[in-house]
Amino acid sequence: MDFEWEKEYRDFRGEVRSFIEEWRTPELLEEYARTYGADGPELRRFRDALGERGWMRMCWPEEEGGEGRNLFYQFIFVEEMEYWGMPYGNLTYTSIAPSIQRFGSDEQRRRYLPGILRGESTFALGYSEPNAGTDLASLRTRARRIGDEWVINGQKIWTSLADVATHIWLAARTDPDVPKHQGISVFIVPADAPGLTIRPLHAMYGGHTNETFYDDVRVPHADLVGGVGRGWPIIMHALNHERVGLAATGSLARLFDQLVAHLAERRPERLEDPLVRRRLADLQLDLLEQRALAVQNAWIISKGGTPIAEASMAKVAATELRTRIANTGMDLLGRYGGLSRENGELAPAEGRMEWSFRIAPIFRFGGGTNEIMRDIIAAAGLGLPR
Amino acid sequence: MNLDLDPTQTLLRETTREYLASTVPFDRVRACEREERWDSELWRGLIEQGWLGLPFPESIGGGGGRLTDAGLLLEEFARRAAVVPLAEALVCGLACTRSGSPSQASAALEGLLSGDVVPVPAVLEESDTWGVVEARVEGEQLIGEKLFVDYGQFASHHLVAARENDELGLYRVDARDDAVGSAPLRTIGRTPSARVVYRDAAVEPVGGPEALRDLILTARAFAAVQCLGSAQEALDQTVAYAKVREQFGRPIGTFQAVQHHAANMASRVASTRYLVYEALHALDHGAATPQQVAFAKASASRMVPEVTMLAHQIHGGNGMIEENDLYFFTLRGKDRSLAWGSAEECLEEASAAVDAPREWIC
Ligand SMILES: Cc1cc2nc3c(=O)[nH]c(=O)nc-3n(C[C@H](O)[C@H](O)[C@H](O)COP(=O)(O)OP(=O)(O)OC[C@H]3O[C@@H](n4cnc5c(N)ncnc54)[C@H](O)[C@@H]3O)c2cc1C
């Protein structure tokens, strides 16, 4: 065994970090916060720079335009970007691009990948429906083929970013007469398609997501991805990629560091309190334990394996730890802990603990609920009978 | 021993619940949040109902009830996420009527019950530490700054913790005085709170260090019962939801994982409920120690975010949006869990006496 990162990884981490140092401007962060990372001149400049580095697809095979690098590079990249809160690409980069690469037609790759990699195309994920959440495969949004087109009718919910995205990555039922997992197909739908209505749903963390209604929305057959009725494995592939992001330690570590930095600067007497230090050590141990899972997960991927139980463990640990850091952080900040960022200077660490507390529940049931993750650990990981 | 409510208390709880359900639709709470105001209309309603007088002695014109009764009332108000300073006004009223002569006490209560006087306490300062009070009274005038004065910008009077010649005390200030300036704070609970500056504000002394200690103790117990109300409502809404929300062709409440979450929520609420009402009961009988109240609040404070987090887990996406009512209890619960002593602060206070001999089974 050897727990040291090899020189090439350490060098790469250094390279990413100095890139971030150069690009992490207040203007970029402000635009990111304001537009939820959808689009804007600062974001575009940043993504151009990212694209130039080739980091978004450094781990793709060479014959597919990548550099065939070990997936540890991707792990390091995501960790750093998450830690510094950089708009390195929402799910469009991390989950849709690899899916188009893997399952799309040549034409789809040519049409969509360059735009995604340049940051010009962004995709919203149109999976969930009012009655199809955990049981996603029971989705009912219907696509019927008429000539060379598909006509889509139905309702989706939680289509985040649909109002600012250029496209929707839509899961719809193309065949109601086969077992439910086999009748689903994936479509690329322009977000401004006639017949598509988007209604915002305001959430308790201050942002919003959307309901989307499809009323005879027409999509050419050329925009169906991966074959009729072949949608389910595509969705699962994309979800696996989503989980890697959810399991990353970066943003959790950052939250912890912001808490400590605030205490050091503004409440040094609290930071000296042995009880407070003990609580912080507790959180630090939680972080070490979570990262242990994340690194083991990445190790399996880097060897070419597909972690199943391990990915679920890292996801559960990360998402539950987010709650714990935010909750304990607020407690350690006393009543200041409940001040949101609108209070300006008075809000500790820009209100990050308070905001994280409000948004934390999402991660625990999003991207595969933690209940299902635990089922997977038990069944796939431990071989417990169903 | 009797762990059941008596018939009057049951009636009180039911009438309060029915009144609030019919007069305060949750959209009215949303409007208060949006417009950053309090529910002055509901305040008039509760004056008319006579609820404000409940925990005061009949001899001075009160309802002759106890803090436990006030607790039942506060729990119901918390379950409706009502935006009124009921706890705040009650602790001030209790402080004012307990000190001074009987005639002063009945005058104070009369003001409260007329609805003209809406008093709130102002204790914490920049340091956010209970013992640290820098506001000073000199020649009957108050100079200082207070933080986290809940409903401070809408109150008629503040009961301010201040020092006079180094002695701590409580002072009444007319909040509409020009010498009092307040700026709103945005808290996670989305109920009004303020930062208040007093520049030579005229004061009336209310009580000494004992009165301040008493006020903090009562306010702490009340905040605990508010946490309990948030948690109970989150639990009830969640159980109801788990019965009707279906996935995989059956109610999610049939899945063992969901059942276990709900069972954990219910157990947490049940423990806290006992400790909180036990503490209120002890306060009623002059038998409460600071440690007991601190433990009750610590229990409520750490329980409520656990319970609301599980409520969200069972609600999934639907629990996150403001069209659903769950968020009130998540946000209020956390706000009250920090108010008048977080779990950390309360445990620290309670820890002072962990080695004192204690009869566990008596
Ligand atoms: C802010 C926000 C943004 C989102 N963004 C997107 C998006 O962009 N695109 C998208 O498609 N979706 C999105 N989602 C939806 C998200 O993926 C779903 O919320 C998630 O899949 C859970 O589904 P549900 O909310 O319907 O919960 P439900 O499926 O109703 O689950 C409720 C509870 O029941 C439990 N449960 C269900 N079935 C079982 C079982 N068999 N065994 C044990 N427990 C079970 C769950 O674990 C959970 O605890 C978003 C959600 C939110 C809140």
Side-chain angles (χ1 to χ4, degrees):
Chain A
M1 279 182 118
D2 181 359
F3 289 85
E4 285 297 314
W5 290 90
E6 283 76 2
K7 184 173 182 317
E8 63 263 31
Y9 296 130
R10 279 180 281 133
D11 288 350
F12 178 66
R13 195 181 282 280
E15 203 185 324
V16 175
R17 213 170 275 184
S18 38
F19 173 82
I20 291 173
E21 229 165 86
E22 180 187 341
W23 284 91
R24 198 170 181 274
T25 61
E27 294 79 25
L28 177 70
L29 295 182
E30 187 277 326
E31 194 177 281
Y32 181 26
R34 186 163 39 82
T35 64
Y36 299 99
D39 196 20
E42 295 291 329
L43 286 161
R44 235 166 294 149
R45 267 173 11 96
F46 172 70
R47 284 180 188 147
D48 280 348
L50 259 186
E52 240 165 66
R53 303 278 162 144
W55 288 337
M56 299 312 302
R57 47 177 174 177
M58 63 192 164
C59 300
W60 295 9
E62 277 170 42
E63 58 277 17
E64 291 177 7
E67 301 168 35
R69 287 206 210 180
N70 187 304
L71 272 150
F72 263 142
Y73 285 97
Q74 170 79 9
F75 176 80
I76 292 167
F77 174 77
V78 171
E79 248 188 6
E80 288 294 325
M81 291 287 163
E82 285 281 336
Y83 182 88
W84 297 104
M86 297 296 275
Y88 65 102
N90 35 38
L91 295 171
T92 309
Y93 267 138
T94 53
S95 129
I96 301 305
S99 299
I100 294 180
Q101 175 59 35
R102 168 115 176 238
F103 300 101
S105 64
D106 284 343
E107 190 202 331
Q108 285 164 347
R109 281 195 210 114
R110 261 198 315 279
R111 269 189 68 193
Y112 295 110
L113 286 180
I116 292 179
L117 295 171
R118 279 198 308 274
E120 286 161 13
S121 314
T122 49
F123 281 63
L125 303 187
Y127 300 144
S128 305
E129 296 183 3
N131 293 310
T134 307
D135 184 13
L136 185 60
S138 70
L139 61 87
R140 285 204 295 251
T141 294
R142 185 80 165 86
R144 286 188 182 80
R145 186 158 187 176
I146 300 180
D148 211 30
E149 278 187 333
W150 290 87
V151 180
I152 301 168
N153 283 287
Q155 182 193 348
K156 293 282 171 183
I157 193 170
W158 321 120
T159 323
S160 303
L161 299 172
D163 49 329
V164 286
T166 55
H167 298 84
I168 293 170
W169 181 259
L170 181 78
R173 185 158 305 282
T174 41
D175 188 348
D177 300 323
V178 294
K180 61 183 183 178
H181 294 91
Q182 291 162 28
I184 297 170
S185 305
V186 168
F187 295 89
I188 296 175
V189 183
D192 58 0
L196 173 58
T197 311
I198 300 170
R199 186 179 87 91
L201 291 168
H202 296 279
M204 72 172 195
Y205 55 86
H208 70 276
T209 171
N210 308 285
E211 276 181 301
T212 42
F213 302 89
Y214 295 79
D215 186 10
D216 284 340
V217 172
R218 288 165 184 274
V219 176
H221 180 68
D223 283 332
L224 184 150
V225 183
V228 178
R230 308 278 282 278
W232 190 251
I234 303 182
I235 297 169
M236 288 302 112
H237 179 260
L239 261 176
N240 281 337
H241 279 267
E242 189 177 334
R243 256 166 233 161
V244 174
L246 283 172
T249 311
S251 64
L252 298 172
R254 170 105 184 134
L255 200 56
F256 177 84
D257 285 353
Q258 284 176 313
L259 173 63
V260 174
H262 172 82
L263 290 169
E265 197 186 312
R266 304 275 288 276
R267 301 275 144 189
E269 73 295 346
R270 278 204 185 168
L271 193 54
E272 275 164 28
D273 180 344
L275 287 173
V276 172
R277 299 187 77 82
R278 187 40 228 269
R279 300 290 277 146
L280 291 170
D282 227 336
L283 289 179
Q284 224 162 38
L285 176 58
D286 285 342
L287 275 165
L288 290 170
E289 289 174 344
Q290 191 281 327
R291 186 153 190 270
L293 295 174
V295 174
Q296 290 178 82
N297 190 35
W299 168 245
I300 295 171
I301 299 177
S302 78
K303 290 189 299 183
T306 308
I308 307 235
E310 293 83 355
S312 300
M313 287 182 193
K315 191 266 178 185
V316 168
T319 55
E320 296 184 359
L321 180 51
R322 187 179 298 279
T323 307
R324 215 145 56 234
I325 298 176
N327 191 43
T328 305
M330 286 176 78
D331 285 354
L332 294 178
L333 295 167
R335 271 217 79 179
Y336 282 99
L339 292 182
S340 54
R341 73 175 297 167
E342 294 96 76
N343 295 284
E345 270 290 285
L346 266 190
E350 296 167 3
R352 292 303 286 185
M353 302 304 134
E354 189 267 349
W355 180 76
S356 297
F357 182 86
R358 286 186 283 138
I359 199 166
I362 292 180
F363 303 103
R364 302 168 62 134
F365 59 75
T369 71
N370 284 4
E371 289 66 39
I372 301 300
M373 295 294 104
R374 287 186 163 96
D375 283 349
I376 292 173
I377 297 167
L382 306 175
L384 287 171
R386 283 251 167 202
Chain B
M1 156 100 42
N2 180 3
L3 295 183
D4 297 327
L5 298 181
D6 66 33
T8 335
Q9 290 175 320
T10 308
L11 189 66
L12 172 69
R13 165 186 275 182
E14 275 166 14
T15 44
T16 314
R17 189 173 299 175
E18 277 161 27
Y19 177 87
L20 291 174
S22 63
T23 51
V24 188
F26 282 118
D27 276 344
R28 194 156 123 192
V29 180
R30 287 186 180 84
C32 288
E33 290 185 349
R34 210 169 39 242
E35 295 154 20
E36 299 191 29
R37 61 176 172 83
W38 69 307
D39 194 341
S40 50
E41 208 180 313
L42 175 59
W43 191 256
R44 280 193 294 279
L46 81 92
I47 297 276
E48 274 165 29
Q49 297 292 320
W51 286 328
L52 212 47
L54 193 64
F56 298 93
E58 279 171 344
S59 60
I60 58 165
R66 298 167 178 274
L67 295 185
T68 26
D69 304 316
L72 291 171
L73 206 58
L74 284 163
E75 189 184 341
E76 291 309 314
F77 275 70
R79 292 183 61 146
R80 208 65 204 171
V83 194
V84 286
L86 180 55
E88 289 76 6
L90 285 178
V91 296
C92 290
L94 288 164
C96 291
T97 52
R98 279 171 184 171
S99 65
S101 66
S103 66
Q104 283 170 324
S106 47
L109 186 57
E110 205 183 301
L112 195 63
L113 299 189
S114 72
D116 298 336
V117 177
V118 185
V120 301
V123 179
L124 281 179
E125 300 183 357
E126 198 264 333
S127 71
D128 187 30
T129 309
W130 296 106
V132 181
V133 174
E134 295 191 348
R136 323 187 296 282
V137 171
E138 275 167 28
E140 300 189 1
Q141 294 197 314
L142 172 70
I143 301 173
E145 185 175 329
K146 294 285 171 182
L147 272 174
F148 311 112
V149 183
D150 296 325
Y151 295 89
Q153 63 270 54
F154 299 109
S156 70
H157 293 79
H158 295 171
L159 225 57
V160 183
R163 280 180 199 283
E164 186 169 14
N165 301 325
D166 248 20
E167 167 124 312
L168 270 176
L170 270 178
Y171 298 85
R172 203 168 105 117
V173 176
D174 189 329
R176 293 156 300 194
D177 190 332
D178 284 344
V180 180
S182 63
L185 296 173
R186 267 87 187 196
T187 67
I188 188 168
R190 301 191 186 175
T191 46
S193 192
R195 170 184 204 161
V196 185
V197 181
Y198 307 91
R199 294 188 198 84
D200 295 327
V203 297
E204 223 178 280
V206 168
E210 281 296 313
L212 174 60
R213 249 196 313 275
D214 247 26
L215 177 137
I216 293 176
L217 217 55
T218 313
R220 183 168 279 177
F222 281 178
V225 90
Q226 290 174 312
C227 290
L228 177 66
S230 289
Q232 182 72 57
E233 185 62 25
L235 169 62
D236 290 356
Q237 289 191 4
T238 301
V239 170
Y241 184 76
K243 289 178 183 166
V244 297
R245 168 72 176 170
E246 291 191 5
Q247 287 290 281
F248 302 96
R250 45 199 263 212
I252 58 170
T254 59
F255 298 122
Q256 203 166 35
V258 170
Q259 292 175 346
H260 286 184
H261 285 330
N264 287 335
M265 292 167 74
S267 310
R268 300 291 283 125
V269 171
S271 300
T272 298
R273 171 174 298 289
Y274 184 100
L275 294 181
V276 167
Y277 279 98
E278 186 190 34
L280 285 168
H281 181 264
L283 282 168
D284 273 331
H285 292 83
T289 61
Q291 192 191 25
Q292 179 178 15
V293 177
F295 269 134
K297 179 61 169 42
S299 171
S301 288
R302 68 182 190 185
M303 171 278 294
V304 68
E306 285 172 28
V307 166
T308 54
M309 188 54 70
L310 291 174
H312 280 290
Q313 191 61 23
I314 294 177
H315 272 79
N318 282 328
M320 291 303 291
I321 50 172
E322 296 183 355
E323 290 172 26
N324 191 286
D325 301 327
L326 181 62
Y327 83 94
F328 293 122
F329 308 101
T330 309
L331 303 186
R332 290 295 176 80
K334 187 62 199 176
D335 178 66
R336 289 299 95 187
S337 95
L338 296 174
W340 302 101
S342 66
E344 292 290 328
E345 290 172 274
C346 289
L347 278 176
E348 191 172 340
E349 186 168 327
S351 72
V354 280
D355 48 357
R358 168 178 201 121
E359 294 223 36
W360 284 102
I361 36 178
C362 60

